[in-house]
Amino acid sequence: MTSRLWGARFTSEPSDAMANLSASVHFDWVLAPFDIAQSKAHARVLNGAGLLDASELHLMHFGLDQLREQVLNGFFVATPEDEDVHTALERGLIEIIGGAVGGKLRAGRSRNDQVATDLRMYLRNSARVVASELVEVQNALLAQASAHVDHAAPGFTHLQHAQPVSFGHELAKHIHAFSRDVERFIDWDKRAAKSPMGSGALAGSSLDLDPVAVASDLGFDGVVENSIDGVSDRDFVAEFLFITALVGVHLSRLGEEICLWSSREFGWATLDDAWSTGSSIMPQKKNPDVAELARGKSGRLIGHVTAMLTVLKGLPFAYNRDLQEDKESSIDAIETLLLVLPAMAGTVSTLKFDVDKMLKSAPEGFALATDIAEWVVKQGVPFREAHEIAGACVRAAEAQGTDLDELSDQQFAEIHPSLTPAVREVLTVQGSLDARSTINGTAPASVRVQLANAQVRLGQLHDWAKVTPHDV
Ligand code: ARG
């Protein structure tokens, strides 16, 4: 007997090519545990509506629990004839408990509300798994940042030396980007936490079901308010994919820095052997493949959000089969991040930094020119003029091929009378760093407070990630 959930009105079997195109069971199988949990909740409301008596409910739950075991231990698998996960699981249930009771489960629900509910459950759980791995990357960054608060490095704009910064400050910027990503998941989750069950195919159900009870059984905060929207809405997928794309973009920027820092030209960072690869022809090579793959995989993550939005654009309501395209992209986004994030955490935590080299190059490129300008401003000179005075110092130092602090007292005085020898107090890297003591600035004392705050925030994000809305 076919497991197909439809077909009575057809006189011939589907063609092979049509069945191949239609099948989703080879990828939507990840939804199986969620589908079974949903079926248990649905059986309860069928019982509440008088459509399953107590012994039937008991048998149904027994069958679904057995099926869950068999799915998890691989005893029950989908066959190519099963169109999708929902079809396969109905077949499995009927194989265990028979059609007299197993055949009653489908009353009052459609695969349209079923799949929308399963996908919300799967993504809500996955958001937490991804967030936990993200927090691990942040912890690795935090440990490195804390170890390098007092180490100065060149800071860049336009990839040119700009001003010296604390290297701990430099590393910690990535923590903040990733914290916003986890916060985006938390905010997204509020909208995703609405159950589409009860929407049926599109119009709701005439059976006396209780969608609110199903929703709370499955860890949702409530029910979608419009059944037509409930089965057609994939905003929650598009938003989820935007967040994963942005995580990818943030990983790519971190990856790019690791590539630069570990290059011979920079020579700031050495990759641990366990987190780098060699070349098949050049024996000396040690390549930053984790950082490069993180950078490269952002491409597919961006592709997924673009694909989802394109599927949704102009799509008529309510359910259309186009919507089946929502799953492969989300599954791949999750699997991609679960590959990249642990590797990135390992790479970051084992990087060794050459702090002497960073310190030596911190003032290079006249990176203390802004310090001269701001010091002159403190002497009462307008900044417009101070900027020109500092520029004249750069010109003079450049002309004689020295750094700014090698200009003589006389040269400073000739450039501008406000430039007394006391200016030398800001012409050191340490003085420059310490002076930037705003709440968000690079002074080591400020950075220490920033890191302590970041750590508290990481604890909160970790706490969110470890509570699953519904265990399956
Ligand atoms: N496999 C389908 C999907 O993922 C399930 C819904 C099918 N609904 C239908 N009316 N054919 O979208």
Side-chain angles (χ1 to χ4, degrees):
M1 196 191 88
T2 173
S3 59
R4 224 177 314 122
L5 304 180
W6 47 272
R9 55 109 62 227
F10 291 83
T11 49
S12 66
E13 290 294 301
S15 65
D16 287 349
M18 147 75 204
N20 291 343
L21 171 63
S22 180
S24 57
V25 74
H26 50 292
F27 56 80
D28 66 18
W29 198 239
V30 296
L31 301 179
F34 302 95
D35 201 72
I36 293 172
Q38 192 204 114
S39 291
K40 288 186 74 175
H42 184 64
R44 255 177 234 121
V45 298
L46 288 175
N47 171 248
L51 298 168
L52 276 186
D53 66 26
S55 67
E56 289 173 323
L57 174 63
H58 186 75
L59 183 61
M60 191 79 90
H61 274 189
F62 165 80
L64 288 165
D65 288 338
Q66 291 281 306
L67 185 59
R68 182 177 174 281
E69 283 299 303
Q70 294 184 10
V71 165
L72 295 182
N73 66 24
F75 186 75
F76 179 77
V77 287
T79 71
E81 285 74 47
D82 296 321
E83 185 181 300
D84 55 21
V85 61
H86 323 290
T87 310
L89 293 177
E90 183 172 304
R91 173 176 65 78
L93 179 68
I94 289 172
E95 280 168 11
I96 297 168
I97 64 168
V101 173
K104 291 190 171 190
L105 180 62
R106 217 197 306 160
R109 78 174 173 180
S110 152
R111 280 183 293 166
N112 297 355
D113 55 354
Q114 200 174 342
V115 74
T117 307
D118 286 353
L119 191 56
R120 283 179 189 246
M121 292 173 75
Y122 166 69
L123 293 185
R124 292 187 70 210
N125 272 28
S126 301
R128 285 151 175 90
V129 179
V130 170
S132 303
E133 295 298 332
L134 211 41
V135 171
E136 290 305 313
V137 174
Q138 293 178 286
N139 282 333
L141 286 161
L142 185 67
Q144 288 281 17
S146 306
H148 295 291
V149 173
D150 291 309
H151 297 140
F156 298 88
T157 62
H158 311 269
L159 207 53
Q160 309 281 332
H161 278 219
Q163 292 174 349
V165 292
S166 148
F167 193 60
H169 197 212
E170 186 80 62
L171 288 164
K173 71 199 176 206
H174 294 291
I175 302 174
H176 297 282
F178 290 131
S179 286
R180 289 192 297 277
D181 291 333
V182 179
E183 283 166 4
R184 279 185 192 94
F185 277 130
I186 297 173
D187 186 60
W188 162 87
D189 191 60
K190 292 182 199 138
R191 285 178 292 285
K194 302 283 175 239
S195 165
M197 286 301 284
S199 301
L202 78 163
S205 171
S206 66
L207 306 175
D208 192 19
L209 304 177
D210 184 355
V212 177
V214 176
S216 84
D217 236 5
L218 298 177
F220 288 101
D221 297 344
V223 177
V224 297
E225 291 179 64
N226 177 317
S227 61
I228 304 174
D229 177 49
V231 290
S232 323
D233 165 33
R234 293 294 184 278
D235 292 5
F236 68 98
V237 183
E239 262 194 87
F240 181 89
L241 290 174
F242 169 72
I243 301 170
T244 54
L246 196 54
V247 172
V249 167
H250 289 151
L251 284 167
S252 79
R253 296 184 78 176
L254 171 59
E256 171 63 7
E257 287 198 328
I258 293 173
C259 292
L260 283 175
W261 294 341
S262 60
S263 69
R264 177 149 204 95
E265 283 63 32
F266 266 76
W268 292 9
T270 306
L271 295 157
D272 191 88
D273 283 358
W275 300 104
S276 45
T277 58
S279 155
S280 54
I281 181 167
M282 298 167 283
Q284 84 286 6
K285 287 294 292 268
K286 191 165 173 186
N287 295 326
D289 287 29
V290 172
E292 291 171 297
L293 285 166
R295 199 175 55 187
K297 284 189 187 289
S298 63
R300 67 200 284 161
L301 294 166
I302 294 166
H304 291 325
V305 66
T306 312
M308 188 71 241
L309 289 171
T310 312
V311 167
L312 293 176
K313 181 187 171 298
L315 192 69
F317 290 82
Y319 180 83
N320 297 272
R321 199 62 185 280
D322 315 41
L323 290 175
Q324 183 166 292
E325 287 297 307
D326 57 4
K327 279 173 281 298
E328 278 167 293
S329 51
S330 3
I331 296 165
D332 184 74
I334 293 159
E335 289 178 352
T336 299
L337 286 178
L338 293 183
L339 276 178
V340 174
L341 291 168
M344 190 53 110
T347 302
V348 168
S349 63
T350 53
L351 280 173
K352 296 261 181 312
F353 292 101
D354 187 340
V355 294
D356 294 332
K357 181 150 193 194
M358 291 191 289
L359 174 62
K360 190 168 166 290
S361 81
E364 286 170 2
F366 310 110
L368 300 175
T370 316
D371 296 82
I372 297 183
E374 291 186 357
W375 187 86
V376 170
V377 162
K378 286 189 198 157
Q379 317 307 310
V381 178
F383 186 78
R384 204 181 157 77
E385 204 182 322
H387 189 280
E388 281 172 16
I389 293 168
C393 295
V394 170
R395 219 168 38 243
E398 197 169 35
Q400 67 183 34
T402 65
D403 273 335
L404 288 166
D405 64 347
E406 289 166 272
L407 292 174
S408 67
D409 291 350
Q410 192 191 339
Q411 282 176 303
F412 276 129
E414 278 165 13
I415 290 169
H416 196 265
S418 69
L419 285 174
T420 62
V423 71
R424 294 187 188 284
E425 80 197 28
V426 295
L427 286 183
T428 65
V429 169
Q430 194 60 47
S432 170
L433 253 53
D434 288 341
R436 292 190 162 67
S437 58
T438 45
I439 184 171
N440 43 14
T442 204
S446 301
V447 175
R448 256 184 271 283
V449 176
Q450 293 158 21
L451 292 182
N453 291 338
Q455 184 158 23
V456 172
R457 199 166 169 207
L458 286 192
Q460 292 159 350
L461 301 178
H462 169 83
D463 289 348
W464 176 80
K466 71 172 193 249
V467 181
T468 14
H470 186 84
D471 286 326
V472 287

